[in-house]
Amino acid sequence: MQLTTEPAGRPATVTYWLSHAWLGTHVEPGVALDVSGGLITGVRTGVATPPPGATVLRGLTVPGLANTHSHAFHRALRSTVQVGSGTFWTWRETMYQVASRLTPDSYFELARAVYAEMALAGITAVGEFHYLHHAPGGTPYDNPNAMGEALIAAAGEAGIRITLLDTAYLSAGFGRRPTQYQQPDRHQLRFSDTTADAWAERAGLLKGSDHALIGAAIHSVRAVPAAQLATVAAWAEERQAPLHVHLSEQTAENDACLAAHGRTPTRLLADHGVLGPRTTSIHNTHLTAEDIALLGSSATGTCMCPTTERDLADGIGPAVALQRAGSPLSLGSDSHAVIDLFEEARAMELDERLRTRARGHWTAAALLRAATVDGHAALGRPEAGVIEPGAPADLATVALDSVRTVGPVPRLAAEAVVFAASAADVRHTVVAGRHLVRDGQHALVEDVPAALASAMAALHG
């Protein structure tokens, strides 16, 4: 079988030969992909041996993975926050200390290394939930988007796509009355533009590029006063841009919102026009039945971040109920306790097994969809996440002969990858047709561990 598209004036075609490919419903052996202009232009099945001149990708090739929720600077917290005990709120204080040390230059170096780590893990697109906007004390840089532009540049140099979700973060929490919110504390001054209008003015100066889309985010209902939520939503609506929001990660936030507004965070967002099919809410851990119905009926997406949610002892969100209600599921590595979308995918299923003492809530195919098709859609790229003509030539190839994946018959390769593989099993990553990771070696960042070590030593030193 051969499917092709032939864009006029296309540049020379390159061919990848996949020993096994995930085509959305099944594993197909012997697939040749023609790639031109960064897009897949032909998919040929039944190709038993590599065509002359083709680049060979041995293993299971899946569409490039989408990391829907990232805070790049949290990578510097790995291990340091595992000493002793505490809560989400004490963890947050450690996070603030790291944030206080970052400059545009040091953030570029750290993010470049983090995004290269993502590429090694088969991630081809990231949603960066970006709220570290200004200098310490809240003074804007001469270039008011210096930090955001550093992230865009870092993704470009690491070779992956980014959706910069520029985040409104204006207050420290609820006050005693619905119109009264706490002023940002000394750490949060870096995050705040003071008003949603000022945020919109600054965010409107950001420019996208071939590898970068610009979206918006509301940090949380505690960080954006209710009267200003609609301003952020309107900014995203005007641009048809993705809009993301942290939602009900902690019961304390729910309790404070109920005390201040007499309604849940989800209802508050609904009442101010935030929910909808271009909106993705992150975590959704502690929801009422009405909350689930509101999210599902509005087709608002849900991004689950299981490795962070378990690391911070947040709880297990009602992902099954949300999906049944109509909320598409995606996955993120959030605080980067680990960067491994296969771990995020299986953790969603395995956490649900622990909670319900029943197995089989999602198939491997459904979990791969969350890590690819629905993740890319949440980042504003609905054309991505599939191996089809016309789709971006973004691929990740996972070894089927490692100690974790060897043994299963080829038709069960998707199950082997989702339920046993790790990021360390990714052998190849292709972005826009470019062979970015070859046999586990990054083509642009020569020594990713050294880059990470250097960036974090500068930050902690």
Side-chain angles (χ1 to χ4, degrees):
M1 178 179 67
Q2 181 172 354
L3 301 173
T4 60
T5 59
E6 296 290 339
R10 68 178 190 177
T13 297
V14 298
T15 300
Y16 287 94
W17 182 79
L18 321 179
S19 66
H20 296 85
W22 176 251
L23 298 185
T25 58
H26 66 285
V27 175
E28 183 74 30
V31 176
L33 299 185
D34 297 320
V35 174
S36 179
L39 302 177
I40 298 171
T41 57
V43 179
R44 290 174 281 146
T45 58
V47 183
T49 58
T55 299
V56 175
L57 304 182
R58 293 195 184 277
L60 177 66
T61 298
V62 301
L65 307 176
N67 189 352
T68 306
H69 189 65
S70 162
H71 301 291
F73 76 91
H74 289 193
R75 175 63 177 82
L77 299 172
R78 192 181 293 181
S79 298
T80 64
V81 290
Q82 303 301 345
V83 179
S85 60
T87 66
F88 169 87
W89 307 102
T90 56
W91 171 91
R92 190 175 71 159
E93 292 303 312
T94 305
M95 179 269 287
Y96 285 160
Q97 293 298 324
V98 171
S100 70
R101 303 186 190 111
L102 285 162
T103 67
D105 288 342
S106 63
Y107 204 6
F108 166 80
E109 295 295 337
L110 177 60
R112 175 177 173 267
V114 173
Y115 297 151
E117 182 181 356
M118 291 185 192
L120 293 177
I123 293 164
T124 59
V126 61
E128 184 60 39
F129 200 102
H130 167 57
Y131 54 82
L132 188 52
H133 302 305
H134 307 300
T139 302
Y141 290 103
D142 291 341
N143 172 1
N145 284 307
M147 295 295 264
E149 290 177 6
L151 292 167
I152 291 171
E157 292 213 7
I160 70 171
R161 305 179 193 272
I162 185 172
T163 299
L164 187 74
L165 299 159
D166 195 278
T167 304
Y169 192 135
L170 310 174
S171 64
F174 299 102
R176 294 182 180 276
R177 297 190 300 274
T179 58
Q180 186 181 63
Y181 282 72
Q182 300 173 37
Q183 292 299 307
D185 67 22
R186 61 189 180 89
H187 297 298
Q188 297 162 339
L189 289 171
R190 295 198 74 174
F191 311 158
S192 178
D193 291 294
T194 70
T195 68
D197 286 334
W199 166 83
E201 182 178 358
R202 179 189 54 73
L205 299 175
L206 286 161
K207 304 296 183 186
S209 65
D210 288 344
H211 78 282
L213 299 179
I214 307 301
I218 293 163
H219 180 273
S220 56
V221 293
R222 71 178 185 274
V224 176
Q228 300 184 59
L229 292 170
T231 299
V232 184
W235 188 96
E237 177 66 26
E238 179 183 339
R239 292 161 176 78
Q240 294 293 287
L243 174 62
H244 289 209
V245 55
H246 289 133
L247 181 60
S248 291
E249 182 178 4
Q250 294 289 317
T251 55
E253 179 176 89
N254 288 357
D255 294 343
C257 187
L258 284 165
H261 293 283
R263 66 198 81 177
T264 66
T266 303
R267 170 52 74 181
L268 189 67
L269 293 175
D271 290 348
H272 289 273
V274 175
L275 303 185
R278 283 184 298 98
T279 299
T280 299
S281 46
I282 316 300
H283 302 303
N284 294 354
T285 310
H286 304 285
L287 301 179
T288 66
E290 182 193 31
D291 293 340
I292 293 169
L294 284 169
L295 292 167
S297 63
S298 62
T300 299
T302 293
C303 177
M304 303 298 289
C305 306
T307 65
T308 292
E309 289 149 7
R310 70 191 183 198
D311 183 58
L312 297 180
D314 290 341
I316 302 170
V320 171
L322 282 160
Q323 188 172 53
R324 287 176 178 166
S327 180
L329 298 180
S330 58
L331 298 165
S333 62
D334 193 1
S335 69
H336 311 315
V338 296
I339 294 177
D340 187 337
L341 263 289
F342 301 118
E343 178 63 21
E344 303 294 346
R346 66 174 159 265
M348 190 163 67
E349 165 67 22
L350 298 180
D351 286 354
E352 193 67 21
R353 292 181 186 184
L354 283 174
R355 182 168 67 171
T356 63
R357 292 184 292 174
R359 304 177 77 233
H361 304 279
W362 292 279
T363 63
L367 294 172
L368 279 173
R369 181 180 177 89
T372 56
V373 177
D374 290 336
H376 288 290
L379 298 180
R381 294 188 173 87
E383 71 284 359
V386 293
I387 298 177
E388 296 176 0
D394 296 355
L395 311 168
T397 302
V398 187
L400 296 178
D401 58 358
S402 78
V403 293
R404 287 167 291 276
T405 60
V406 73
V409 296
R411 67 180 178 83
L412 296 178
E415 285 76 9
V417 165
V418 170
F419 288 101
S422 79
D425 295 314
V426 173
R427 293 293 179 263
H428 304 279
T429 305
V430 175
V431 181
R434 179 179 191 172
H435 203 165
L436 181 64
V437 173
R438 185 189 299 265
D439 294 320
Q441 179 65 39
H442 200 290
L444 302 179
V445 182
E446 183 176 346
D447 188 338
V448 177
L452 285 163
S454 175
M456 287 188 285
L459 199 56
H460 291 307

